[in-house]
Amino acid sequence: MTEHGKEDPNVLKGYMMMLYFSGTMIMFDPSRECIYDFWTRGILKALPVKSSNPEFIRAASILRESTCNTLNKQSLMQEDFRRLFGNSEKQLAPPFESWYRNMKGAEERKKLTDELIAIYDKYKWESSFRGRVPEDHLGVELLFLTYIAEKYAASGGNEKTERGYEMVKYIDSHLLSWLPAWKEDVGRYAITHGYKGIASLLTASVEDIKSMTLMNLRGAEV
């Protein structure tokens, strides 16, 4: 849970920035520019929000520790990316909802894909990676979460309430239903503190967005 109690648009924006960063690191091989900006320059030493969530505190500590040694950082992060997410045959922590929800059959995976596309279509959102990256890839699901969080923050009245509950439902059904198990695998198999911290950070951020949204919705009902 955040330390701000009442919802603050700037706090929500801070979480969205962290999710965008985390999702990018899960979808793409880490670039030299990314490593320089976030690790060499030490941006990760001061995250844009504070939280009392133990998982968030743990993530912040791991990421701070990961900035202490930047020697060969890019090559180590790239190796970790490929081991964890990039090798289609032997991924150690496959970033797919279907994998962690044991949807191994083609029919089950198609049902999940259709369900996600229906949710995306309701918000008139389409992943720029459609047809190239599965709809249940963590990076795609996080991009959608940042999109609906922006819509939620910009709305008001009954529309805001409806969007808030829809966002919480999406988080419960399609993120927190498998993220904790995925985070444990990353923690178990990652060779860099960077990826261990990223897995904890994005899990904690999703938990905090849910908690903050529910707190605001319940406050509006009083």
Side-chain angles (χ1 to χ4, degrees), residues 17-18 27-28 112 157 169 182 202:
M17 288 171 57
M18 291 188 294
M27 290 191 78
F28 303 109
L112 175 61
K169 181 180 178 181
W182 172 83
L202 70 84

Side-chain angles (χ1 to χ4, degrees), residues 35 39-40 66-77 192:
I35 299 300
W39 276 272
T40 307
S66 77
T67 65
C68 294
N69 183 7
T70 58
L71 186 65
N72 298 323
K73 179 69 70 178
Q74 184 186 10
S75 61
L76 288 172
M77 293 288 287
T192 63

Side-chain angles (χ1 to χ4, degrees), residues 6 15 21 69 79 85 100-102 105 138 172 190 205 207 216:
K6 177 171 143 175
Y15 278 110
F21 156 72
N69 183 7
E79 180 182 351
F85 322 121
Y100 282 93
R101 293 181 63 191
N102 293 313
L138 177 55
D172 279 339
S205 295
E207 291 172 347
N216 186 63

Side-chain angles (χ1 to χ4, degrees), residues 12 15-16 19 97 101 115-116 119 138 141-142 144-146 148-149 152 163-180 202-214 217:
L12 186 58
Y15 278 110
M16 288 190 286
L19 289 181
E97 179 181 348
R101 293 181 63 191
E115 180 182 340
L116 287 167
I119 296 171
L138 177 55
E141 293 190 351
L142 292 176
F144 179 67
L145 177 57
T146 62
I148 59 174
Y152 164 74
R163 286 182 171 174
Y165 280 117
E166 287 179 348
M167 183 165 67
V168 169
K169 181 180 178 181
Y170 172 75
I171 288 172
D172 279 339
S173 299
H174 296 290
L175 286 167
L176 293 183
S177 59
W178 64 281
L179 266 184
L202 70 84
T203 302
S205 295
V206 171
E207 291 172 347
D208 282 358
I209 289 173
K210 174 189 172 180
S211 296
M212 185 170 60
T213 303
L214 280 175
L217 290 170

Side-chain angles (χ1 to χ4, degrees), residues 22-35:
S22 301
T24 299
M25 294 294 294
I26 302 303
M27 290 191 78
F28 303 109
D29 204 320
S31 68
R32 184 180 300 275
E33 292 76 14
C34 179
I35 299 300

Side-chain angles (χ1 to χ4, degrees), residues 20-205:
Y20 186 80
F21 156 72
S22 301
T24 299
M25 294 294 294
I26 302 303
M27 290 191 78
F28 303 109
D29 204 320
S31 68
R32 184 180 300 275
E33 292 76 14
C34 179
I35 299 300
Y36 177 77
D37 286 342
F38 288 97
W39 276 272
T40 307
R41 290 178 59 196
I43 291 176
L44 290 175
K45 288 182 178 179
L47 297 175
V49 300
K50 293 182 179 180
S51 171
S52 59
N53 182 340
E55 189 62 43
F56 190 98
I57 295 170
R58 177 174 177 271
S61 175
I62 295 172
L63 288 171
R64 280 195 301 270
E65 187 175 348
S66 77
T67 65
C68 294
N69 183 7
T70 58
L71 186 65
N72 298 323
K73 179 69 70 178
Q74 184 186 10
S75 61
L76 288 172
M77 293 288 287
Q78 286 178 331
E79 180 182 351
D80 228 4
F81 174 87
R82 290 162 191 160
R83 290 173 64 257
L84 296 167
F85 322 121
N87 187 327
S88 59
E89 295 181 358
K90 294 182 179 179
Q91 294 172 324
L92 296 176
F96 299 102
E97 179 181 348
S98 56
W99 176 270
Y100 282 93
R101 293 181 63 191
N102 293 313
M103 297 176 176
K104 303 296 174 65
E107 187 175 333
E108 284 184 306
R109 292 196 300 270
K110 183 181 184 304
K111 183 178 179 181
L112 175 61
T113 296
D114 291 344
E115 180 182 340
L116 287 167
I117 289 177
I119 296 171
Y120 300 159
D121 287 349
K122 180 178 180 179
Y123 276 83
K124 297 180 172 58
W125 183 84
E126 180 176 319
S127 166
S128 58
F129 305 101
R130 183 167 289 184
R132 294 180 291 134
V133 178
E135 303 295 340
D136 70 321
H137 189 288
L138 177 55
V140 174
E141 293 190 351
L142 292 176
L143 281 174
F144 179 67
L145 177 57
T146 62
Y147 178 81
I148 59 174
E150 288 177 355
K151 293 293 184 184
Y152 164 74
S155 59
N158 291 335
E159 182 182 43
K160 187 179 185 74
T161 299
E162 181 181 349
R163 286 182 171 174
Y165 280 117
E166 287 179 348
M167 183 165 67
V168 169
K169 181 180 178 181
Y170 172 75
I171 288 172
D172 279 339
S173 299
H174 296 290
L175 286 167
L176 293 183
S177 59
W178 64 281
L179 266 184
W182 172 83
K183 177 202 71 179
E184 290 301 318
D185 277 350
V186 175
R188 184 179 300 113
Y189 298 117
I191 58 176
T192 63
H193 281 85
Y195 271 112
K196 292 176 189 287
I198 286 168
S200 289
L201 178 69
L202 70 84
T203 302
S205 295

